[in-house]
Amino acid sequence: MAAIHLNPQSFSSKLEKIYSKTYPYTPQRSFHLQINAVSGKFLIDSGAVRAVTPKEAGIALKSEALKMLDVRPEWEREKASVVGSFHVPLFVKDPDNSLITLIKKWVHLGYIGLWTGQKFTTINSEFVSQVQGIVPDKESMLLVACGEGLRSMVAVSKLHEAGYTNLEWLAGGFVRAKDGDFPVEGDEKLQYATIGGVSYYFLKILNLLQAGDIST
């Protein structure tokens, strides 16, 4: 039986045609993010982008040849980041203050923002060009990371499409990291940096309760 070779970019284009026919009223931003996420997963599953665990990544980063790209928003990175990583956010805070967007921000705050601490964001339209400005050599080894792995999955799709050929993906994101996997700077544990809002205080209370159980 002849081997079947799939081109991820061609695969993404085919998906776009299928989705546009099936979901003609899907907002463009949401639509393209879905395509990028599916394309990113395809790249990882096919081996075109290598998935690495936090422990493996921490060891590999000791080599000067590998660079870590942190694609989290600024407010997550400020809490904790990997020493030596560089930062280009995939999503940025949405500056639009039109009536419709303000209503969306209010709904987001009520249903998501207060609990998670996540701000209402929009895709960073200059993401690829900003990465290119920092890492112009598209054969450089890049380890793409985020909090939970989904945003970095979208990012590897965009970077692969832009011509980057040596991409790695941090499997599960920083929430899967353990103390000691990476050298960290910041006031928070790396694996907790994604957590904010009310859920952050619940986490702190839970940690205090667990510490009390251990001490007794």
Side-chain angles (χ1 to χ4, degrees):
M1 183 180 292
I4 298 174
H5 299 284
L6 295 177
N7 183 300
Q9 292 183 13
S10 174
F11 177 72
S12 179
S13 298
K14 290 177 181 178
L15 274 178
E16 187 167 344
K17 291 179 182 178
I18 293 170
Y19 269 60
S20 60
K21 291 179 181 178
T22 308
Y23 306 105
Y25 303 110
T26 302
Q28 285 296 305
R29 173 188 163 192
S30 175
F31 168 77
H32 286 296
L33 286 176
Q34 291 174 25
I35 293 297
N36 284 137
V38 173
S39 178
K41 187 175 187 306
F42 172 82
L43 289 165
I44 294 162
D45 290 344
S46 67
V49 171
R50 193 167 79 91
V52 296
T53 66
K55 184 175 182 179
E56 292 171 333
I59 295 171
L61 282 171
K62 293 177 182 178
S63 164
E64 294 182 0
L66 180 65
K67 299 180 177 68
M68 174 180 278
L69 168 62
D70 185 345
V71 301
R72 296 175 299 163
E74 185 64 42
W75 51 91
E76 288 184 30
R77 183 174 170 86
E78 286 175 349
K79 295 178 184 178
S81 62
V82 175
V83 175
S85 63
F86 65 94
H87 180 232
V88 179
L90 181 64
F91 289 95
V92 293
K93 188 176 179 180
D94 193 337
D96 182 22
N97 287 318
S98 65
L99 178 59
I100 296 297
T101 302
L102 286 174
I103 292 173
K104 289 180 180 179
K105 288 180 179 180
W106 180 80
V107 172
H108 172 86
L109 178 65
Y111 282 92
I112 300 173
L114 285 175
W115 176 253
T116 66
Q118 291 295 325
K119 297 177 175 60
F120 189 79
T121 60
T122 186
I123 191 76
N124 180 4
S125 60
E126 299 180 356
F127 172 74
V128 172
S129 62
Q130 288 173 353
V131 174
Q132 290 173 336
I134 299 172
V135 188
D137 182 2
K138 294 185 177 180
E139 293 185 358
S140 297
M141 293 178 62
L142 286 181
L143 171 62
V144 187
C146 69
E148 298 177 339
L150 181 58
R151 291 167 292 187
S152 51
M153 191 177 289
V154 173
V156 295
S157 173
K158 287 180 169 292
L159 293 173
H160 185 274
E161 187 176 354
Y164 284 87
T165 57
N166 286 316
L167 297 170
E168 295 185 354
W169 172 71
L170 186 65
F174 291 130
V175 296
R176 296 284 183 89
K178 292 182 171 60
D179 294 345
D181 283 346
F182 301 105
V184 178
E185 54 188 357
D187 298 328
E188 188 56 83
K189 285 190 175 186
L190 188 61
Q191 54 267 46
Y192 295 161
T194 301
I195 304 171
V198 176
S199 59
Y200 175 79
Y201 295 101
F202 273 101
L203 175 65
K204 287 294 186 182
I205 293 171
L206 179 60
N207 285 339
L208 287 172
L209 291 173
Q210 289 177 338
D213 289 340
I214 293 172
S215 63
T216 56

